[in-house]
Amino acid sequence: MDIKTLCLGILSLGDATGYEIKKMVAEGSLSFFSEASYGSIYPALGKLMEQNLVTCVAMVQDKRPDKKVYSLTETGREELTRSLRKDPDPDKNRSEFLATILFCESVAPERVTALIQDRIIEHEDKIATLEGLLAGEMTPASRFVVEYGIATQKAALKFLQTHQGNLVGTAAKGAANKLKEVGTPAAE
Amino acid sequence: MDIKTLCLGILSLGDATGYEIKKMVAEGSLSFFSEASYGSIYPALGKLMEQNLVTCVAMVQDKRPDKKVYSLTETGREELTRSLRKDPDPDKNRSEFLATILFCESVAPERVTALIQDRIIEHEDKIATLEGLLAGEMTPASRFVVEYGIATQKAALKFLQTHQGNLVGTAAKGAANKLKEVGTPAAE
DNA sequence: GTGTACATGTAAAGTGTTACATGATTTC
DNA sequence: GAAATCATGTAACACTTTACATGTACAC
């Protein structure tokens, strides 16, 4: 989903500024399955304006740039509906963590253990954040999405907690040897 | 993780051609947490050659382009180790499916139901594929990674099966009204 | 005083995907 | 005879991130 459609979607939930859109993507219900930087949001809103898919009211603030509140137009809502009619692309999950684990023969075993420990904490934090969101007012749709996030995060957490030993016991030995070779090239 | 590092990592598990790397990313243990197209893999291997991080043996085949089998050099393995020493970036999950659900006020309720049904089947297929991988020979690391994938896919599947009613019961009514508005702008 | 939050925006640089080009062999 | 598999590679295009530019206000 490109940033323009994402903005259209977020605006369909309520008027917002570019700054607020960024916050929703970074910390709100969308935070665990989408991303966007200012450098993509502001130009996207500009193009959406040109196409008359959104309108914008500038709120003058002194000592600060005008706050521009964007709203979806009727045409914008229709465009969004059209976009959402297309079958969604399959999910794209990129995980450097899992890649590192997979290539762990090139990584010190203590490092693998530490990585998993860190990851466990990150999952716990993420779950806490998502559960915090549930405390606020939510539409059924955003509740569904956040609870989906919690469910998958919890599954990942549980997996790491119960399987972390699987790597250290067996692969790590081989890794330790490999590492010795790489770590002391002078010995060759 | 950029494609060059990904190639280095895959080659650390064994020699491979560009074509085979693509297959591993598309169908192997890496398939649920990374992606790469030929248009990125071949140029990456070329750069890796220039930097002497990999070597390449061309196997002549008639009626076909030479099959180029790439191998990691010592320098390449060191470079990989260096890359993996950096803390992995947080996972990036992009889901058009969840975005569509979140913006479902702009989507017909039957469409939401159908979307979830499709997604359930996709998860079941994905789980079957991953379980198929477990049948073959695997290192502990790739087993770990594939089982992680199965665990999270199953959690998502179960969530969809048990919560699909949550959206249709409540949000859908509102959506139906909203949609009527959008669907019949002439009425305004 | 140092850092964070507020607030918008541009330009350069990087990275990657899509489509194209080429062509035999095997399976349905 | 159509489609998939094998096999490599380039070029145009799309999209995004990063860094920069600008500045106030408040909390610690």
Side-chain angles (χ1 to χ4, degrees):
Chain A
M1 177 170 292
D2 61 30
I3 306 290
K4 272 163 64 180
T5 309
L6 189 67
C7 288
L8 245 28
I10 290 172
L11 292 175
S12 80
L13 307 176
D15 296 351
T17 65
Y19 190 82
E20 287 166 346
I21 289 175
K22 166 69 179 172
K23 265 181 60 179
M24 288 185 213
V25 170
E27 301 158 29
S29 329
L30 292 118
S31 62
F32 66 97
F33 64 88
S34 61
E35 268 182 276
S37 59
Y38 290 124
S40 59
I41 291 170
Y42 287 120
L45 289 170
K47 281 173 212 155
L48 256 17
M49 280 287 289
E50 281 173 31
Q51 298 175 259
N52 295 312
L53 301 176
V54 300
T55 55
C56 158
V57 176
M59 320 255 292
V60 180
Q61 310 184 108
D62 51 62
K63 324 274 186 178
R64 248 174 230 191
D66 292 359
K67 185 191 243 184
K68 293 188 179 175
V69 181
Y70 290 90
S71 314
L72 212 54
T73 62
E74 269 309 306
T75 325
R77 191 172 287 276
E78 284 164 29
E79 175 57 27
L80 175 63
T81 303
R82 231 190 317 279
S83 299
L84 297 181
R85 212 143 35 203
K86 280 181 283 194
D87 281 342
D89 279 350
D91 288 9
K92 283 167 194 174
N93 305 301
R94 284 166 187 255
S95 178
E96 289 204 356
F97 166 71
L98 289 175
T100 305
I101 297 291
L102 184 58
F103 306 145
C104 73
E105 285 192 33
S106 302
V107 178
E110 321 83 57
R111 168 121 176 88
V112 175
T113 313
L115 231 38
I116 294 178
Q117 281 307 317
D118 287 353
R119 181 54 58 128
I120 285 173
I121 290 166
E122 278 170 40
H123 278 305
E124 285 167 347
D125 289 349
K126 191 77 197 172
I127 291 166
T129 305
L130 290 172
E131 282 177 342
L133 286 177
L134 288 180
E137 264 184 57
M138 302 202 100
T139 64
S142 58
R143 181 171 293 277
F144 182 93
V145 161
V146 170
E147 285 175 346
Y148 180 105
I150 292 171
T152 52
Q153 293 282 318
K154 279 191 174 169
L157 173 62
K158 193 177 165 198
F159 181 86
L160 292 181
Q161 284 169 337
T162 57
H163 291 74
Q164 53 184 324
N166 296 13
L167 277 175
V168 180
T170 52
K173 282 179 200 166
N177 295 334
K178 291 269 181 189
L179 254 211
K180 214 172 287 175
E181 286 166 34
V182 175
T184 57
E188 296 189 318
Chain B
M1 177 170 292
D2 60 29
I3 306 291
K4 273 164 63 182
T5 309
L6 188 67
C7 288
L8 244 27
I10 291 173
L11 292 175
S12 81
L13 306 176
D15 296 349
T17 64
Y19 189 83
E20 286 166 346
I21 288 174
K22 165 71 179 171
K23 264 182 61 178
M24 288 184 213
V25 171
E27 302 159 29
S29 330
L30 292 119
S31 61
F32 67 95
F33 65 89
S34 61
E35 268 184 277
S37 58
Y38 290 125
S40 60
I41 291 169
Y42 287 120
L45 289 170
K47 281 172 211 156
L48 258 15
M49 280 289 286
E50 281 172 30
Q51 300 175 257
N52 295 310
L53 301 176
V54 301
T55 54
C56 158
V57 176
M59 320 256 291
V60 180
Q61 310 183 105
D62 49 64
K63 323 272 187 182
R64 248 176 228 189
D66 291 0
K67 185 192 243 182
K68 294 187 178 178
V69 181
Y70 291 89
S71 314
L72 213 52
T73 62
E74 269 311 305
T75 324
R77 190 173 288 276
E78 284 163 32
E79 174 58 28
L80 175 62
T81 302
R82 230 189 319 280
S83 299
L84 297 182
R85 210 138 41 197
K86 280 180 284 194
D87 281 344
D89 280 349
D91 288 10
K92 284 168 195 174
N93 305 302
R94 286 168 186 253
S95 178
E96 289 204 357
F97 167 70
L98 289 175
T100 305
I101 297 292
L102 183 58
F103 306 143
C104 73
E105 285 193 31
S106 303
V107 177
E110 320 84 56
R111 167 118 176 91
V112 175
T113 312
L115 230 37
I116 294 178
Q117 280 308 315
D118 286 353
R119 180 56 56 129
I120 285 173
I121 290 166
E122 278 170 39
H123 278 304
E124 284 167 348
D125 290 349
K126 191 76 196 174
I127 290 166
T129 306
L130 289 172
E131 282 176 343
L133 286 176
L134 288 180
E137 263 184 58
M138 301 203 103
T139 63
S142 58
R143 181 170 294 277
F144 182 93
V145 161
V146 171
E147 285 176 346
Y148 179 105
I150 292 171
T152 51
Q153 293 280 318
K154 279 190 175 169
L157 173 62
K158 194 178 163 197
F159 181 86
L160 292 180
Q161 285 169 336
T162 56
H163 291 74
Q164 53 186 320
N166 297 12
L167 277 176
V168 180
T170 52
K173 282 179 197 163
N177 295 334
K178 290 270 177 186
L179 253 210
K180 212 173 285 175
E181 286 167 33
V182 174
T184 57
E188 295 192 320

